[in-house]
Amino acid sequence: MAVKTWLRTQLQGFSSEKPLLFARFLRKLPALWRQELAMAEHQGSHANRIFIRGDDGCYPIYAAEDTSSDQGSYIRTYTLFCHQANAWYMHNELQNFLHTAKGFKRFADVGSAEGFYSALFASMHPGEAEILSIDCGSTTGCIPAHSLNVWEQNRKAFAPKRWDYAKAFITGSDKQAPSFELPADCQVQRLTEVLQQQNFIPELMKFDIESSEYDALLDPATLDYLQEHQPTLIIEVHNKELSERQLKFQDVLDRLAKLAYAVTAYDDRNFLEIENAHVVMSPGR
C-alpha cells in the first residue's frame, strides 16, 4: 500500500509528461540491475574490464586503457562499452548477437569502431575465434588509438586464433566516398576486395556502416559471395539515413530473399519503420 501511495503522489499534480518520464524510468530498471550485477563482478578486477551477461554466463571484455594522455579521454570508450553492454534499448540487439555468435568461430565485424563486438566474440570463443575487424578509422565514429588499444588488450586476454584489423571504408561497386573525411591511409573498397586481400571467409558478418550496408550488400560481387559462402548476417538498418538518400532497406531484403536469406531475429518488429534497428538474416542452407 505504501508503494501505491508513493506512486500516486509522484504522478499527481504534474504536467502530462511526468507519467511518460516515469514509464521511461521503469523501463530502465532491468538495465540498471544488469549494470549493478556487472559492477559486483567487476570489483577487484581490472578497472577497464566490463562483464556482458548472457543466458549462459558472463563474458568479460576490456575497454581502452589509459596509456597515453594525448589520445583523448579513455573514459569515453569505457562509458560507450558499458552503455552497449547494459542500456535497456540495446538489450535485444546484444542478446541476438550472443545467441547468433555462439554458433560460429569466424567473424567479420564490418564497421567495428572501437571493437566492442569483436572483443565480445573473442571472449565468447577463447583460443578459437577468428576475427576480421574492418573500420575506416575516422574520428567521426571512433577514436582510432582506442580501437588499437582494445584490439591489443583483448587479443592478449583471449588468445584468438586470428584477429586482424583492416582499415577501409566499405561501400558498393561505385566506390562512393562518404560525406565525412577519411584518414589518409584509408581506402574506399568493396567488401569482397577486403575479404580477398585478408584471405578471410567469415561464417558470420555484422554490418554497422551508417547506411552503406545498403550499397555493400547490393554490390553484385557481394551477392555472388553470399551465394557461394552463405554467412549469417547481422545488419544495422539505418532507416533515417536511407530515407535521406531516398532508399529503402526493403530492397536489400527482397534481393537477399532471392538467395534464400530470411530474417530470423530482430531487436524491434518494426525494423523497417523506426529510425534505427538490427536484423539477423540466415541463409536457407
Side-chain angles (χ1 to χ4, degrees), residues 69-105:
S69 60
D70 63 353
Q71 297 295 344
S73 174
Y74 277 76
I75 196 67
R76 174 195 179 278
T77 306
Y78 178 82
T79 303
L80 175 65
F81 279 19
C82 284
H83 171 78
Q84 290 179 286
N86 298 301
W88 65 267
Y89 60 86
M90 298 195 70
H91 182 66
N92 290 342
E93 174 192 348
L94 182 60
Q95 292 304 310
N96 284 337
F97 180 85
L98 291 170
H99 295 157
T100 304
K102 67 182 178 181
F104 302 105
K105 299 294 175 60

Side-chain angles (χ1 to χ4, degrees), residues 23-206:
R24 288 176 179 170
F25 168 74
L26 291 177
R27 237 181 136 175
K28 292 179 180 179
L29 288 178
L32 292 172
W33 174 236
R34 287 193 295 272
Q35 203 166 41
E36 286 300 314
L37 290 173
M39 288 176 66
E41 295 196 45
H42 197 146
Q43 297 300 319
S45 66
H46 294 273
N48 62 324
R49 195 179 188 190
I50 296 164
F51 289 88
I52 292 115
R53 302 190 69 86
D55 292 337
D56 50 358
C58 279
Y59 300 105
I61 65 171
Y62 294 85
E65 189 172 33
D66 192 357
T67 58
S68 174
S69 60
D70 63 353
Q71 297 295 344
S73 174
Y74 277 76
I75 196 67
R76 174 195 179 278
T77 306
Y78 178 82
T79 303
L80 175 65
F81 279 19
C82 284
H83 171 78
Q84 290 179 286
N86 298 301
W88 65 267
Y89 60 86
M90 298 195 70
H91 182 66
N92 290 342
E93 174 192 348
L94 182 60
Q95 292 304 310
N96 284 337
F97 180 85
L98 291 170
H99 295 157
T100 304
K102 67 182 178 181
F104 302 105
K105 299 294 175 60
R106 295 194 309 276
F107 173 47
D109 191 0
V110 185
S112 55
E114 272 94 347
F116 176 87
Y117 281 104
S118 292
L120 178 53
F121 192 85
S123 180
M124 293 175 70
H125 304 287
E128 299 181 312
E130 297 180 59
I131 304 165
L132 175 61
S133 301
I134 306 172
D135 198 79
C136 64
S138 169
T139 55
T140 301
C142 67
I143 300 177
H146 294 198
S147 303
L148 180 60
N149 190 298
V150 168
W151 175 59
E152 290 173 341
Q153 287 190 87
N154 289 280
R155 277 203 313 167
K156 182 178 180 180
F158 306 118
K161 278 187 178 180
R162 175 182 179 183
W163 186 352
D164 295 327
Y165 180 89
K167 183 173 282 189
F169 177 78
I170 301 299
T171 184
S173 56
D174 60 355
K175 294 191 177 182
Q176 180 67 41
S179 57
F180 53 86
E181 185 177 355
L182 292 173
D185 60 345
C186 175
Q187 292 183 310
V188 178
Q189 292 186 278
R190 301 165 80 174
L191 177 62
T192 50
E193 290 176 332
V194 176
L195 294 176
Q196 289 165 3
Q197 288 167 5
Q198 297 293 325
N199 192 26
F200 192 81
I201 301 176
E203 300 170 310
L204 173 66
M205 288 199 285
K206 183 179 184 298

Side-chain angles (χ1 to χ4, degrees), residues 183-253:
D185 60 345
C186 175
Q187 292 183 310
V188 178
Q189 292 186 278
R190 301 165 80 174
L191 177 62
T192 50
E193 290 176 332
V194 176
L195 294 176
Q196 289 165 3
Q197 288 167 5
Q198 297 293 325
N199 192 26
F200 192 81
I201 301 176
E203 300 170 310
L204 173 66
M205 288 199 285
K206 183 179 184 298
F207 293 83
D208 182 1
I209 46 178
E210 309 307 316
S211 88
S212 289
E213 62 278 347
Y214 181 98
D215 310 86
L217 288 166
L218 292 182
D219 182 341
T222 300
L223 293 169
D224 290 343
Y225 188 93
L226 295 179
Q227 186 168 36
E228 179 180 0
H229 298 289
Q230 296 192 308
T232 294
L233 310 174
I234 301 177
I235 309 168
E236 182 153 357
V237 184
H238 295 89
N239 288 310
K240 180 176 181 293
E241 288 85 350
L242 288 173
S243 177
E244 291 170 354
R245 298 174 59 194
Q246 298 184 319
L247 301 172
K248 293 183 178 180
F249 189 72
Q250 185 66 55
D251 298 338
V252 176
L253 295 178

